[in-house]
Amino acid sequence: MPKFWRIALQGLLLVLVVGTIALLWHNLTANLQQQSSQTTRLGFDFLREEAKFNIGEAAIPYQPSDSYGRAILVGLLNSLKVIAVGIVLATTLGVTAGIARLSNNWLLQKIALFYVEVLRNIPLLLQLFFWYFAFFLSFPKVEQRLQLPGAIYLTKSGIWLPWLQATSATGTWLICWIIGGVGAGFILYRQRQTLRPWTVLQAGAAIVALSLLALLITHGLPLQFDVPQVIDNFQIQGGLKLSPEFAAITTGLSVYTGTFIAEVVRSGIQAVPRGQWEAAQSLGLSPNVVMGTVIFPQALRTILPPLSNQYLNLAKNSSLAVAVGYPDVYSISDSMNSQTGRPVEAMLVIIVTYLTISLTLSVLINLYNRSVQIVER
Amino acid sequence: MKKIQWKFILAGLLLILPLAGCVTDVPAPSSSSAGTANSQQSRLDTVLKRGKLICGVSGELPGFSFVEPDGKYSGLDVDVCRSIAAALFDNPDAVEFRKLSAKQRFPAVQSGEVDILSRNTTFTVQRNTELNLDFAPVIFYDGQGLMVRKDSTLNTLASLKNRSICVQSGTTTEQNLADQMRQRNIPYTSVVFDDVNITFGAYTEGRCDAITADRSALVSRRSSFQKPDDHIVLPDLLSKEPLAPAVSSGDPRWSNVVKWTIYTLINAEELNIDSKNVTQFATSNDPVVKRFLGGEGNFGKKMGIPNDFAARIIKHVGNYGEVYDRNLGKQTKLKLDRGLNNLWNKGGILYSPPFR
Ligand SMILES: N[C@@H](CCC(=O)N[C@@H](CS)C(=O)NCC(=O)O)C(=O)O
């Protein structure tokens, strides 16, 4: 193609793109103006107004007198909590089930098959209602709480677990550990070519030494156990409280996404050539070592790209939280929308939020993906 | 290779472009009429031409709007729409009902998807002025209440300290609760759902110690519980909730029709005219009655609707008292006292301006 045409076509494309966006924008504002005369101007000033509604659970202090902006932030943190925990649980479940599906153990294989085929074919929303109503709300009330060994309480109002809590010494410990970690990293980096047990020991010693230093300074441990306690018949305090709403959305999302991850893992493992299995086995390696050090690392290259799709799905599906009453960012923006009558702004906030979450996730996974791919020289 | 890519991109854009264009080209008939306050283009004309009314209701509240087992809608909110259909078409069934959740309702009127919102909606200044809705006269004076299990020790708002309360989002309820608790300095946990059935389901499953909503809604939903007697509505009143139908603002012809339909229901009760005796009243010599029923004067005609609209409404739907008794009164499961919703001369505050 001659150079002129290439440039002209680029220009035409640009005009088309800009033109389309401008038209859509014009439409939006024109329709808004028609619909509700003078009062509704697009704008985000209202985010500074008082939110006036309560939020059931918040990771940062929040009161109804705080702004809509802060309410959205609370919702965002709640969403991130679900997404983070969900990704860890779904991956664990999925990898286990995926490997189990290829197991020689008949029962294990059938259980994994049953899990994958049943749960990935039932709509997620139904599963969420199941977890919420038939599982987490079927626990007894706080008065008749169910206690498991180790101070775990199961109730309709939530689940309480013992948890680690920061102490006054946490800060000092953290600083020492960071210094120790950087030191250890430096030692390991310099000796990268000749990674001998000796260097690893040196690096370990750096961390231990700084831990001892921290102990000397603070006379305290970095974290302490926080055990839930029954205050009166109706209240449990302390420890880590998981609300039934959080438990339902996280369990539902993890179990559902886990089925898809299981399939991704299974196909990834099956894509590793048979020769690799045979070679590893003929070296006399035990089945666990074959899987752990020969097959899985190679399968990882095939697994990662579709796995990242599953993570993105999990992140976006977390917006179903509102169905089981969990105050995620979507639910908060919904409340905000109906109080302020600003559907377009609320929608934009949501779009930008999910786009940011999804793009960040994909960048992270892509970076990791690049690091495990074969580097061709 | 490159060429093919280009073609795809161009084709895609060319597909989007007309789509973007056509939205602007065709002005939505409803919205343009809502914007201008002139009389040639009113929602009234749209409804008359269509031959039926499109009415937004909840459909989830027995006594206000509910789908009966035979598929028919019933309730106070429903009868308001039936009255308008009776006035316009002499046929109370010329209504198409649309079920709307709390958060769907306002966009549905604003966009013109429904002609009228008759869905236990509280008349507030924000909805009136910022959401651009015109409210018709109040058809039910309500207040927000709390419901708890009878066997719990909870009996006041204050006793709910540190307890959890279920509430539906997109309502005045959510905000009132926060206001009241903040004012009294009572910490509590709210559990917010967007669906009314899930909200009440979570309460009956024991997730929350209490549930809050308009009192009428609490009583209405309780009537369909398996064991209604196990639950009580606390005496605390959290707010005033005047429930009124609403239409998109800036269309006086249409909002007047809605307004005077409701006054017809009230005025008929004031004059003791009901669905059974309305035909006898039609021959009355009383000028007040004659004007009201369309035998004299031309109020209806000037509004652009049949002159005997009041007679039609009363004949097909009844007066306010009949409508109330049928849907919420003593013989129903709700058994709501008329209280404030009685006529002004019977201890309530319902009052119709004169038809003159
Ligand atoms: N009157 C209040 C509350 C109206 C409302 O939506 N109440 C709920 C609580 S029971 C309801 O009727 N929901 C029925 C539905 O979503 O279909 C308002 O206008 O905001």
Side-chain angles (χ1 to χ4, degrees):
Chain A
M1 219 186 308
K3 199 173 174 193
F4 166 76
W5 275 111
R6 245 182 293 159
I7 295 175
L9 267 178
Q10 294 271 23
L12 185 66
L13 186 66
L14 192 72
V15 169
L16 275 176
V17 170
V18 172
T20 314
I21 293 175
L23 251 175
L24 289 173
W25 180 256
H26 172 76
N27 256 343
L28 179 69
T29 42
N31 282 345
L32 271 179
Q33 259 168 30
Q34 271 188 349
Q35 215 169 73
S36 36
S37 53
Q38 60 294 76
T39 41
T40 339
R41 283 266 174 280
L42 272 186
F44 289 91
D45 288 344
F46 74 97
L47 284 176
R48 253 171 284 154
E49 288 168 20
E50 209 175 73
K52 300 182 290 265
F53 56 80
N54 194 51
I55 303 180
E57 47 187 304
I60 51 172
Y62 168 84
Q63 288 167 346
S65 54
D66 287 328
S67 67
Y68 282 118
R70 191 170 177 93
I72 291 282
L73 182 65
V74 169
L76 176 63
L77 292 176
N78 282 342
S79 288
L80 290 177
K81 197 163 93 182
V82 168
I83 295 171
V85 178
I87 284 183
V88 172
L89 289 182
T91 312
T92 317
L93 251 174
V95 172
T96 314
I99 294 179
R101 281 211 57 189
L102 298 171
S103 157
N104 295 328
N105 183 325
W106 184 85
L107 185 65
L108 204 61
Q109 194 196 336
K110 290 300 169 215
I111 292 176
L113 177 73
F114 183 77
Y115 159 64
V116 169
E117 288 308 332
V118 172
L119 289 180
R120 84 177 164 157
N121 289 314
I122 298 176
L124 177 55
L125 193 59
L126 284 186
Q127 295 193 33
L128 290 181
F129 287 143
F130 169 84
W131 286 111
Y132 189 55
F133 281 109
F135 193 77
F136 290 106
L137 289 193
S138 70
F139 292 147
K141 291 185 183 173
V142 180
E143 297 97 287
Q144 295 118 27
R145 67 207 155 258
L146 201 69
Q147 186 173 2
L148 299 185
I152 296 175
Y153 297 98
L154 305 181
T155 76
K156 270 186 205 309
S157 306
I159 298 170
W160 278 265
L161 308 165
W163 198 244
L164 295 170
Q165 200 186 31
T167 65
S168 54
T170 310
T172 321
W173 272 87
L174 212 63
I175 294 171
C176 289
W177 270 348
I178 291 174
I179 298 172
V182 170
F186 185 67
I187 295 172
L188 288 178
Y189 179 77
R190 276 203 21 203
Q191 305 289 323
R192 207 155 49 132
Q193 312 302 339
T194 57
L195 201 59
R196 277 175 298 223
W198 176 234
T199 23
V200 179
L201 251 172
Q202 266 183 331
I207 292 180
V208 172
L210 276 149
S211 296
L212 281 176
L213 183 70
L215 189 67
L216 257 173
I217 301 175
T218 59
H219 294 287
L221 291 173
L223 294 167
Q224 71 185 23
F225 260 112
D226 180 17
V227 181
Q229 265 157 355
V230 182
I231 301 284
D232 59 37
N233 218 3
F234 299 103
Q235 267 188 73
I236 302 176
Q237 268 179 11
L240 177 71
K241 183 195 172 188
L242 306 177
S243 69
E245 294 78 34
F246 173 78
I249 179 74
T250 316
T251 317
L253 271 180
S254 312
V255 168
Y256 179 74
T257 315
T259 61
F260 293 93
I261 295 183
E263 287 298 273
V264 167
V265 168
R266 182 177 65 99
S267 58
I269 292 174
Q270 283 178 333
V272 177
R274 276 219 70 75
Q276 297 287 322
W277 290 88
E278 286 158 5
Q281 275 157 0
S282 65
L283 284 176
L285 300 176
S286 75
N288 280 339
V289 178
V290 173
M291 181 54 91
T293 61
V294 180
I295 305 302
F296 201 74
Q298 296 187 65
L300 205 55
R301 299 191 186 121
T302 336
I303 291 174
L304 274 179
L307 185 65
S308 71
N309 277 340
Q310 296 309 326
Y311 288 169
L312 294 179
N313 278 344
L314 187 143
K316 286 176 287 178
N317 285 341
S318 73
S319 61
L320 287 174
V322 62
V324 288
Y326 182 70
D328 74 331
V329 65
Y330 184 79
S331 150
I332 300 289
S333 84
D334 234 19
S335 290
M336 179 177 84
N337 166 15
S338 59
Q339 276 187 17
T340 55
R342 292 181 170 276
V344 180
E345 286 92 336
M347 202 63 80
L348 283 174
V349 167
I350 284 300
I351 291 174
V352 170
T353 311
Y354 280 100
L355 207 61
T356 315
I357 295 177
S358 295
L359 288 178
T360 315
L361 261 177
S362 15
V363 167
L364 289 179
I365 301 166
N366 280 342
L367 281 180
Y368 182 56
N369 189 19
R370 206 171 298 161
S371 76
V372 299
Q373 296 303 336
I374 299 176
V375 188
E376 298 189 20
R377 311 175 207 240
Chain B
M1 176 71 195
K2 222 173 184 172
K3 246 185 206 161
I4 295 176
Q5 261 182 18
W6 270 103
K7 275 185 198 154
F8 270 117
I9 295 172
L10 273 176
L13 274 168
L14 288 174
L15 272 177
I16 301 175
L17 209 60
L19 212 123
C22 75
V23 191
T24 11
D25 289 347
V26 185
S30 56
S31 35
S32 62
S33 70
T36 50
N38 55 17
S39 53
Q40 338 96 346
Q41 260 247 340
S42 166
R43 170 75 34 172
L44 177 60
D45 302 320
T46 319
V47 175
L48 285 172
K49 209 184 297 159
R50 193 195 296 126
K52 70 177 179 201
L53 180 75
I54 300 181
C55 168
V57 295
S58 151
E60 298 285 353
L61 290 179
F64 285 86
S65 56
F66 195 65
V67 195
E68 298 296 336
D70 62 3
K72 276 197 154 187
Y73 279 81
S74 76
L76 179 67
D77 286 343
V78 165
D79 281 345
V80 166
C81 287
R82 292 205 193 285
S83 303
I84 298 171
L88 300 185
F89 309 115
D90 205 9
N91 174 10
D93 292 323
V95 190
E96 183 182 323
F97 293 101
R98 296 263 168 89
K99 278 181 67 164
L100 298 173
S101 79
K103 68 169 194 224
Q104 289 167 338
R105 57 183 157 170
F106 300 124
V109 235
Q110 288 166 336
S111 66
E113 185 194 324
V114 295
D115 302 320
I116 174 174
L117 183 70
S118 182
R119 187 202 167 284
N120 55 305
T121 295
T122 308
F123 184 172
T124 70
V125 64
Q126 189 250 2
R127 291 171 178 178
N128 189 180
T129 59
E130 284 176 45
L131 301 189
N132 292 305
L133 299 176
D134 272 352
F135 281 88
V138 173
I139 58 159
F140 191 90
Y141 288 94
D142 206 347
Q144 187 177 333
L146 286 154
M147 183 158 68
V148 298
R149 264 169 286 275
K150 215 180 226 163
D151 61 9
S152 70
T153 52
L154 307 165
N155 45 24
T156 56
L157 199 56
S159 68
L160 285 167
K161 188 171 173 198
N162 289 330
R163 298 302 188 88
S164 46
I165 306 177
C166 284
V167 56
Q168 189 181 359
S169 69
T171 57
T172 49
T173 317
E174 190 183 6
Q175 212 171 322
N176 288 332
L177 179 68
D179 285 353
Q180 292 297 321
M181 295 306 231
R182 179 146 57 120
Q183 183 205 332
R184 292 176 169 77
N185 231 331
I186 309 172
Y188 71 104
T189 308
S190 60
V191 189
V192 184
F193 303 88
D194 66 347
D195 181 281
V196 63
N197 294 321
I198 304 292
T199 317
F200 278 83
Y203 166 73
T204 47
E205 285 300 312
R207 169 61 181 102
C208 300
D209 300 294
I211 183 165
T212 182
D214 296 343
R215 275 188 162 180
S216 63
L218 292 175
V219 173
S220 154
R221 295 291 307 202
R222 182 177 64 179
S223 73
S224 51
F225 282 3
Q226 267 165 5
K227 289 185 186 158
D229 297 337
D230 288 0
H231 303 266
I232 47 167
V233 176
L234 297 182
D236 298 68
L237 209 57
L238 275 66
S239 67
K240 296 190 288 187
E241 303 288 330
L243 309 182
V247 297
S248 189
S249 70
D251 187 351
R253 281 183 65 209
W254 178 229
S255 67
N256 282 344
V257 168
V258 174
K259 191 188 300 172
W260 287 98
T261 300
I262 289 163
Y263 283 141
T264 298
L265 295 172
I266 298 172
N267 200 42
E269 191 181 6
E270 289 189 37
L271 295 175
N272 284 319
I273 308 178
D274 62 31
S275 57
K276 280 166 229 102
N277 63 21
V278 64
T279 35
Q280 290 151 36
F281 269 98
T283 54
S284 160
N285 287 326
D286 184 345
V288 174
V289 172
K290 272 176 114 172
R291 263 200 307 272
F292 180 45
L293 297 180
E296 205 178 285
N298 51 3
F299 297 128
K301 257 199 207 113
K302 281 193 175 154
M303 273 195 263
I305 61 178
N307 213 35
D308 63 341
F309 69 95
R312 292 173 168 199
I313 293 172
I314 304 167
K315 185 174 75 189
H316 291 297
V317 184
N319 65 30
Y320 184 86
E322 287 181 280
V323 172
Y324 190 100
D325 290 341
R326 177 164 71 228
N327 295 306
L328 309 167
K330 291 202 181 56
Q331 322 91 302
T332 67
K333 277 202 275 184
L334 275 71
K335 297 187 184 47
L336 284 173
D337 241 6
R338 279 199 62 179
L340 285 182
N341 298 299
N342 214 330
L343 296 181
W344 58 280
N345 49 12
K346 291 187 184 155
I349 53 176
L350 294 187
Y351 185 109
S352 164
F355 280 69
R356 65 162 71 253

